[in-house]
Amino acid sequence: MTIYDIAREAKVGIGTVSRVLNNSPKVTDETRDRVVTVAKRLNYQPHAFAQGLARKRSNTLCAVIPFFTNYFFIQVLQGVQETLAAVGYDLIIHGANTQAQLEDYLDHSMRKGRVDGTLLFSLKLPDRFAEVFIEKKNPLVLVDTFHPSFDSIRVDNTEGAKKATEYLLSLGYRTIGMLNANLSSVPAQERLSSFKATMCTHNVEVRDEYIINSSNTKNDGFSREAGYEGMAEFLRRGIKLPSAFFVSSDIQAIGMIAALRENNLQVPNDIAIVSFDDIEIAKYFNLTTMRQPMFDMGELAVKKMLERIENPSAPISSINFTPTLVVRSSCGANKNYVLNDNR
Amino acid sequence: MTIYDIAREAKVGIGTVSRVLNNSPKVTDETRDRVVTVAKRLNYQPHAFAQGLARKRSNTLCAVIPFFTNYFFIQVLQGVQETLAAVGYDLIIHGANTQAQLEDYLDHSMRKGRVDGTLLFSLKLPDRFAEVFIEKKNPLVLVDTFHPSFDSIRVDNTEGAKKATEYLLSLGYRTIGMLNANLSSVPAQERLSSFKATMCTHNVEVRDEYIINSSNTKNDGFSREAGYEGMAEFLRRGIKLPSAFFVSSDIQAIGMIAALRENNLQVPNDIAIVSFDDIEIAKYFNLTTMRQPMFDMGELAVKKMLERIENPSAPISSINFTPTLVVRSSCGANKNYVLNDNR
DNA sequence: CTGAAAGCGCTAACAT
DNA sequence: ATGTTAGCGCTTTCAG
């Protein structure tokens, strides 16, 4: 079934059919009706590629993400998907767990015309590709990563770590440690600096032996394994435990809790924890954490992209989300908070 | 940059360029080199839609899933994604949380030519669409759902529930309950019947008051909330607790554990649990569970689809996966199993 | 307001 | 082995 078929049946030209299908105003109601009726009867579906070729537009976006290795992305993707569905765009997903896979994808799969724009999540954009995107005028929006030449959506790690630390301080904790992800990751760096700075501002000593920088590199240290190993190793060293820990992600906190449990240590009785992200399962563990508005980030990323497509020469924007504190019971308060927390 | 540009530069016809780009054997090495060089210099990328239009093939598949509401799908999708990436296919993802959304998608978004095939997950295929797929010869593979006219990949719920029940029985438990999802869902029905049948086979009484069929309809009852509410309601009734429960999904077990904990009941000390799925977080809760080979299911679904595309007239196949028992500590054994279980 | 015709970029059949 | 040409199905001038 093509527009030729419906043109023949409706006794009009293909141009008219196309106009009707695209809601052009310059068609008589009478002709329009005739065409619409036939189209419906023939159960006509436009051919996406033919449209794309003629329109020079695909109505689809591509999301390149460290695929499913982290619950964080799943929730951001949810925001992306729903926003896109609402405007009738399709979503192509490409997994790239490492920088190498990213480059591989960028090298091979970036066929022209396939997508109207791409969303890059949490992966560093290599400079040589930045140039390609610019040169080919291929819209790119970065989420949880940054490059001066493109729009980006980020989380304010500094402010988030500050709030988390101050919350711990406000509860009276004074010996506070930090279980961090790999220092090679920018968010890990920012969260650590801010933690130290905040402690300093409040005249509380930061003790180096209480700073655990993960050596497990899975997911840049943002993994359950990294949290588990970090804490297990710490306990093995036999140092006296601080009274609280700021942990760089929920998933690490979950691993850390497992390590603590094996040593018969309880949260929050023996040690308080405030972590980062508020992934969906954080509530199952009653984690007090800094919530990142993941769904909203996905939604905003799409909106930014749509704007960028509309107006390629608009000034580049970089917007920051500030995490908010979600209090559950891992710091010793609101033990039953989770009960009503089914969002 | 089109093949015309590179044809001109290489002083050949566009046909030759196309041949080179498609690795046709009938081109002199000399000419081939010339074309390849120019293509590389011009950083040529084929236009996906033009190719698709001419080839009548998109090299992309669409996955329609109850989007991200269940960790189960995420893991299946991972298998889908990686398998597809390996063969150079693109993956379009469509979320359809309800049957209504499914129909909506099928009605509006199924533009012709867009995808070479679609993978439908866990959603019932309405008959009127079955006809459309058949009539349009649109390849369709069903995962975790069934229709006689299409290839499908399923899980053997009967065998899985049997194994789970027998495991409980082998441990010596005799008063065993089942916390089930909504009975409207087929997997829930199958798991319950098999549970009852197995109990019967072993001459152990099935007591109706120990069968909890979730009334919470989120995700057909396969949700944390359903598990939580089911158990909370059960405890409220003050019936003496059975010694063990077979739970129809991990996620429900997690909710159930939360409800138990609020009543100072421990797993496995006060009650043993064996559940179903082995989603990634199951290990965080030390759940003994029936593992569904989710990644493998995704992978197989893709392979089936690729075969179907190659050979549209092959006989329809329906293959079943049998879940395997993963022992952790929720039934009282192997308390530390999780330590080495970082898969 | 509508029909005819020229592309969009590529593949594949047809000549040579 | 290579060039030429006819589509693929749709949008969009350009005439009328």
Side-chain angles (χ1 to χ4, degrees), chain B residues 90-263:
Chain B
D90 279 338
L91 206 218
I92 288 186
I93 292 197
H94 261 278
N97 293 311
T98 63
Q99 285 295 133
Q101 281 181 36
L102 203 215
E103 306 209 3
D104 194 58
Y105 166 65
L106 261 18
D107 271 333
H108 301 304
S109 317
M110 246 185 57
R111 277 175 302 166
K112 213 174 19 179
R114 191 100 194 67
V115 298
D116 295 337
T118 115
L119 265 26
L120 179 64
F121 292 82
S122 302
L123 292 156
K124 214 175 315 172
L125 179 70
D127 280 328
R128 67 177 174 115
F129 291 113
E131 287 164 22
V132 176
F133 275 98
I134 294 171
E135 176 197 320
K136 300 206 169 180
K137 299 186 190 307
N138 214 319
L140 177 65
V141 169
L142 272 15
V143 181
D144 190 36
T145 173
F146 180 81
H147 190 288
S149 311
F150 304 95
D151 295 315
S152 56
I153 317 272
R154 307 189 68 193
V155 159
D156 190 334
N157 290 304
T158 301
E159 190 59 24
K162 175 164 175 261
K163 282 187 185 172
T165 309
E166 289 183 338
Y167 177 66
L168 251 16
L169 256 11
S170 77
L171 258 25
Y173 296 111
R174 281 301 173 272
T175 54
I176 305 179
M178 176 168 178
L179 175 62
N180 200 12
N182 299 351
L183 268 186
S184 58
S185 122
V186 175
Q189 287 164 24
E190 296 178 339
R191 291 172 199 180
L192 177 59
S193 312
S194 175
F195 165 72
K196 285 181 173 171
T198 307
M199 291 285 275
C200 189
T201 304
H202 291 263
N203 294 311
V204 181
E205 185 193 4
V206 175
R207 294 172 54 180
D208 281 348
E209 67 266 37
Y210 287 167
I211 307 286
I212 309 175
N213 287 305
S214 171
S215 54
N216 181 313
T217 58
K218 175 175 173 187
N219 253 333
D220 276 345
F222 291 100
S223 68
R224 181 178 185 268
E225 291 76 7
Y228 176 85
E229 289 167 16
M231 180 47 64
E233 158 66 12
F234 179 84
L235 292 171
R236 227 174 286 129
R237 280 155 51 201
I239 305 172
K240 183 166 176 296
L241 221 52
S243 57
F245 259 100
F246 167 44
V247 184
S248 53
S249 70
D250 294 335
I251 195 79
Q252 288 172 89
I254 289 168
M256 170 179 171
I257 289 171
L260 288 166
R261 219 180 262 164
E262 283 169 21
N263 287 268

Side-chain angles (χ1 to χ4, degrees), chain A residues 31-327:
Chain A
T31 344
R32 176 181 305 279
D33 281 352
R34 201 143 37 91
V35 172
V36 168
T37 307
V38 175
K40 199 159 288 172
R41 178 159 58 75
L42 264 42
N43 203 261
Y44 170 80
Q45 306 269 78
H47 186 112
F49 285 3
Q51 273 185 328
L53 191 58
R55 286 211 258 246
K56 297 183 166 312
R57 186 157 174 167
S58 66
N59 270 197
T60 113
L61 252 39
C62 176
V64 182
I65 64 170
F67 205 67
F68 296 148
T69 55
N70 195 318
Y71 292 99
F72 176 82
F73 300 112
I74 294 167
Q75 296 186 234
V76 178
L77 256 194
Q78 215 168 133
V80 169
Q81 144 79 27
E82 292 192 17
T83 312
L84 242 27
V87 294
Y89 264 64
D90 279 337
L91 205 216
I92 289 186
I93 292 198
H94 261 277
N97 293 311
T98 61
Q99 285 296 134
Q101 280 181 38
L102 204 216
E103 305 208 3
D104 194 58
Y105 166 65
L106 261 18
D107 271 332
H108 300 303
S109 316
M110 246 185 57
R111 279 174 301 167
K112 211 175 21 180
R114 188 90 192 74
V115 298
D116 295 338
T118 116
L119 264 27
L120 178 65
F121 292 82
S122 303
L123 292 155
K124 214 174 311 171
L125 179 71
D127 280 328
R128 67 178 175 114
F129 290 112
E131 286 164 23
V132 175
F133 276 97
I134 294 171
E135 176 196 321
K136 300 205 169 180
K137 299 184 189 310
N138 213 320
L140 175 66
V141 168
L142 307 173
V143 181
D144 190 37
T145 173
F146 181 80
H147 189 289
S149 310
F150 304 95
D151 294 316
S152 55
I153 317 273
R154 308 190 68 194
V155 158
D156 191 333
N157 289 304
T158 300
E159 190 60 23
K162 175 164 176 260
K163 282 187 184 172
T165 309
E166 288 182 338
Y167 178 64
L168 250 17
L169 256 10
S170 78
L171 256 26
Y173 296 110
R174 282 301 174 271
T175 53
I176 305 178
M178 175 168 179
L179 175 62
N180 199 12
N182 299 351
L183 269 187
S184 59
S185 122
V186 175
Q189 288 164 24
E190 294 177 342
R191 290 172 198 179
L192 177 59
S193 312
S194 176
F195 166 71
K196 286 181 172 172
T198 307
M199 291 284 274
C200 188
T201 304
H202 291 263
N203 294 311
V204 181
E205 186 193 4
V206 175
R207 292 173 54 180
D208 281 347
E209 67 267 36
Y210 287 167
I211 306 286
I212 309 175
N213 286 304
S214 170
S215 54
N216 182 313
T217 57
K218 176 175 173 187
N219 253 332
D220 278 347
F222 290 101
S223 68
R224 181 178 184 269
E225 292 76 8
Y228 176 85
E229 290 168 15
M231 181 46 65
E233 157 67 12
F234 179 84
L235 292 170
R236 227 173 286 129
R237 278 156 51 201
I239 304 172
K240 183 166 177 296
L241 221 53
S243 56
F245 260 100
F246 167 44
V247 184
S248 53
S249 71
D250 294 335
I251 196 77
Q252 289 172 88
I254 289 168
M256 170 179 170
I257 288 171
L260 288 166
R261 222 180 257 162
E262 283 168 23
N263 286 269
N264 294 311
L265 262 12
Q266 300 267 336
V267 173
N269 297 347
D270 298 307
I271 190 158
I273 289 181
V274 59
S275 49
F276 219 99
D277 287 351
D278 196 30
I279 57 179
E280 196 188 339
I281 57 175
K283 62 173 182 254
Y284 304 169
F285 289 87
N286 291 326
L287 290 175
T288 289
T289 186
M290 299 308 303
R291 170 179 292 162
Q292 302 203 53
M294 295 167 277
F295 188 97
D296 298 348
M297 288 172 72
E299 181 175 18
L300 186 64
V302 170
K303 289 189 172 159
K304 271 265 154 268
M305 173 59 79
L306 264 17
E307 282 173 33
R308 171 64 56 199
I309 290 171
E310 285 311 312
N311 185 358
S313 60
I316 288 160
S317 80
S318 174
I319 110 136
N320 268 30
F321 274 99
T322 302
T324 53
L325 180 70
V326 178
V327 176

